Amino acid sequence: MERSQTVTQKFSSFSSSSSSTSGRDDKPREIDRSRSLGPVKLEKSYGKKERDTETVTIEEDEEEGQEEEEVEVVVVVNKEEEASSAPEEPPEASFGSISEEVDGFLSFLLSIDDGRDQWPEPPAMPEPTIKKFLDFVEEELVKYESGKDGAPPPANDELVLFDAIDRVAKLTSALSIFSSDTKYNKAMTRASSILRYAMCFLEDEFHSLLEDSKPKKDTGTARPKTKRRPSIGHLHDAIDRCVPPPSEPDLAEFPSTYTPEIIERLSGIAGAVVSAGYATECCQVFTISRRNAFDVALSNLGYEKLGVDDVQKMPWDSLETKIATWNKVFRQTVEVAFPREHDLCEAVFAGHSAIAYSIFHNFARGVTVLLLGFAEAVATTKRSAEKLFKVLDMYETLRDMVPRIDALLRTTESEPDDSSAAHDLTTEVALVRSRLGEAVVAIFCDLETSIKTDMGKNAVPGGAVHPLTRYVMNYLKYACEYKNTMEQVFRDHKNSENPSSQVEDAAKGGSDDNHNPFAIQLMEAMELLHTNLESKSKLYRDPALCSIFLMNNGRYVMQKIKGATEIHQLLGDTWSRKRSSDLRQYHKNYQRETWSKVLACFKDDGLQARGHVAKPVLKERLKSFNSMFEEIHKAQSSWVVSDEQLQSELRVSVSAVIVPAYRSFLGRFSQYLDPGKKSGKYIKFGPEELENYIDELFSGNPSSMVSRKRT
């Protein structure tokens, strides 16, 4: 009688890969454990302990066979067929099938997590399936890490691996539900170990991509792949481990540009690591790498980190250069680096907006605080007038960049209503800007002190423009080029000292120069200069030279104001008209002090007696005129009037008074002198010659008419 054998075997769903082995040992009763992957429809068997059904049972009697709860395949084997052919191997499972089975198990565990108390004993666990899955993942990780010369794997393979790692993380978490069970604990321990291995590897790969994929200058040699010890479990070593690369592009190219392929790989790794619960380590690697890149870019631009003591001890020439570099760096950081870094964070941590925002905010805050440290140190340096304009440049940089920082941070807030992060950072910037503003006010007000204390006792030769006048007016001219900024600085300063003044100014009209703190300060400086110059004019013994000195300086002031619209606007037309009136008065004083006595020589009074010209008196008049004019020419030709227009105006005004009077006098009385050589003794100058000599006045070149006549 032909016997039939019933072979009970757990069904495997990995049907995508099957093979038959002709040379297999004829032992159909036992299936290799390495290929027994457990039941496919796990939801039907997880309610009980796993039965020991891994060996094939030969049923001698069909009536004795008991139907299992698992789905079983009944195979009827004819003895003759068994003898004639070797049994087929069970089909080999694909990774996709294994993954589906693991997913089913995970779903089942998660479904009973809330009702954990209803399960006195853990449900059956497909140990072979889990083992096969973990073996596969571990093998793929080894292959991935030992890739050919660091070449990236195909994108699809990488995504499959990331998906598998995510499944390992979920498996580790799910198994912990019944971690008190020996089998569960063993599987959980192994899954956890593989997960940590995967995280270490992915972290290293993440770091390598960040460091080695940056554009580099062509050095002619290939740079080996950067290796770094993983930080998982060693967070406190992170800073010591991260060494910046030897070269970086300048800030114009910062942050480093990655290709779309690299960004996609970075995003994939970040997603896998974050999903596995290692977001902290991933963020740390990314943050340190990007910060190192920024620091190197700063160094390439010539910017160096300086402490407060370094800044305060630095010579002004060196500090001036550092400030110029700082202004350029800060503007480019906010306008170029921050937007690019924001986009990079969003791309790498796509799907994790809160993490992306946190990383970008920390980066922006760290960089901003670093740069603000230098600005704050400059604000505390010793005050000196030459620092005003560089400090104003820094003030304007911070003022202009605050709205950009605020807008960028607010657009990336994970919570639209939460603006605290943006507010905190912009508040810090505003605080440093305020300190720079206070430094500006103090430096500018020190100008008044400089004017008051300039009490030199040496008169400027020739009544020329005093160095103090040149310094103050050039200083004010350049300061008024920052008119809007200076007005803002002084208004803020006034409001900080007297908050109620802000309301008062608004009520009176803040645009009125009468209530403009900077305009008031400017007028005060101008009045101090005017007072100082009047005091210095008294150093001259000659009243005429005193007037020339005041004219020179007054004209210089007016010309500077005329050439600077900002100063004129601040001082106003009333002030300008008053100063112009002062100049006209100085001119009248000069003519009176110098030429009134000369004109007296040409009066008719005393020249005639009893209807006849008194020749002795006439001769004395002419001799007196000649003597006075020679002295005036000798003295005033050495006087200095550097303004060509003022010089011409003075000469023309003198000629217009003296030459016609002289010509008229000679026309009336020259005939009463004896003709011949003796008349030349009294009439030394002709009217045209006299005019030529007047044109030599105020040239700054003393000359003697006597020596010229002899030659």
Side-chain angles (χ1 to χ4, degrees), residues 355-381:
I355 293 177
Y357 172 74
S358 176
I359 290 177
F360 172 71
H361 171 259
N362 290 334
F363 174 85
R365 178 181 176 80
V367 169
T368 303
V369 169
L370 167 68
L371 296 176
L372 288 179
F374 176 80
E376 191 166 9
V378 171
T380 60
T381 57

Side-chain angles (χ1 to χ4, degrees), residues 59-70:
E59 301 288 347
E60 293 292 343
D61 191 349
E62 291 185 1
E63 295 180 356
E64 296 177 0
Q66 295 182 358
E67 185 176 356
E68 297 284 341
E69 286 186 19
E70 298 89 359

Side-chain angles (χ1 to χ4, degrees), residues 90 98 169 178 211 225 253 298 300 408 446 493 509 576 592 706:
I98 298 175
F178 297 100
E211 296 296 322
K225 189 174 181 179
E253 299 175 353
L298 291 184
N300 290 342
L408 190 59
D446 282 348
H493 173 71
S576 296
R592 183 182 66 251
V706 175

